[in-house]
Amino acid sequence: MHKIYLLLLCLLPLMSCSQNKTSESPAEKSDRIIPQQNFTTLKFEAEGKPCIALINNRYIGYKEKSKFSLSLFIMVNTIDKNKDGHPDEKETEIFNSLQTEIISELSKVLGSYCYVGTTTMPGYRDILLYINPEDREKATDILKKLKEKNSRIDTISFEEDNEWEAVASFYEAISLKN
């Protein structure tokens, strides 16, 4: 299981925040300051079972939250699981491929988005993103198509969350951990 999370740590920086621009002027490049990406693994319990969150530290103190005020949480069912409801090794590989496909397809249509991370809960995983509210319809169209192709995708939920309250506890835990 530890190997799997290391693999995720290697892949996630490639997918964490997207700019769908084809070119930038030198002024745009110099004005853009991107914090170094770093993911933290948090362990917690839900319903007496262990859970894991892999959270992108990049957004601690992020000042542009209001531009990405719509949370997008994608629940993916775990089919082959261990006693705690977490995916076995084969299932983790399937999930990683599906997550890569989801992020790749969203990257093609969304201007920008913020990839916060994932949570592994008993029986499912959530992919956590924040997007610009104007991109909701584009994201919905892509995700509906993906859901039709893959029965593991269970729910797709959007919620207006200007202050990113839905993920605030993860960032508080990271701050306490450091």
Side-chain angles (χ1 to χ4, degrees), residues 18 20 101-111 113 142:
S18 165
N20 218 9
E101 180 180 8
I102 290 168
I103 298 297
S104 175
E105 291 301 313
L106 287 172
S107 294
K108 293 175 185 176
V109 298
L110 300 182
Y113 61 89
I142 289 295

Side-chain angles (χ1 to χ4, degrees), residues 70-174:
L70 188 65
S71 68
L72 167 54
F73 293 177
I74 305 160
M75 182 189 289
V76 179
N77 287 324
T78 304
I79 296 172
D80 296 319
K81 48 194 161 211
N82 64 22
K83 65 180 174 43
D84 293 324
H86 292 213
D88 64 16
E89 196 167 324
K90 180 182 170 197
E91 184 78 9
T92 298
E93 290 175 23
I94 292 167
F95 174 79
N96 291 342
S97 293
L98 178 57
Q99 178 177 315
T100 299
E101 180 180 8
I102 290 168
I103 298 297
S104 175
E105 291 301 313
L106 287 172
S107 294
K108 293 175 185 176
V109 298
L110 300 182
S112 299
Y113 61 89
C114 300
Y115 176 72
V116 172
T118 62
T119 59
T120 302
M121 309 290 281
Y124 67 95
R125 281 192 174 177
D126 276 326
I127 301 169
L128 315 170
L129 299 107
Y130 278 83
I131 66 172
N132 184 309
E134 294 173 6
D135 289 334
R136 180 180 181 150
E137 190 173 322
K138 292 181 213 173
T140 299
D141 291 345
I142 289 295
L143 293 169
K144 279 183 180 179
K145 289 175 187 172
L146 289 170
K147 187 174 179 181
E148 288 172 7
K149 288 180 9 183
N150 196 311
S151 62
R152 279 182 166 78
I153 299 174
D154 186 14
T155 59
I156 300 160
S157 61
F158 296 91
E159 188 174 317
E160 191 64 35
D161 186 4
N162 289 323
E163 297 299 319
W164 294 22
E165 292 176 24
V167 295
S169 61
F170 294 129
Y171 288 112
E172 289 170 15
I174 291 169

Side-chain angles (χ1 to χ4, degrees), residues 45-84:
E45 284 192 9
E47 301 171 13
K49 298 214 177 202
C51 302
I52 300 169
L54 188 61
I55 302 298
N56 188 346
N57 292 349
R58 174 182 191 159
Y59 302 110
I60 293 174
Y62 188 56
K63 296 183 185 338
E64 302 296 323
K65 288 179 184 175
S66 63
K67 292 181 182 178
F68 305 96
S69 60
L70 188 65
S71 68
L72 167 54
F73 293 177
I74 305 160
M75 182 189 289
V76 179
N77 287 324
T78 304
I79 296 172
D80 296 319
K81 48 194 161 211
N82 64 22
K83 65 180 174 43
D84 293 324

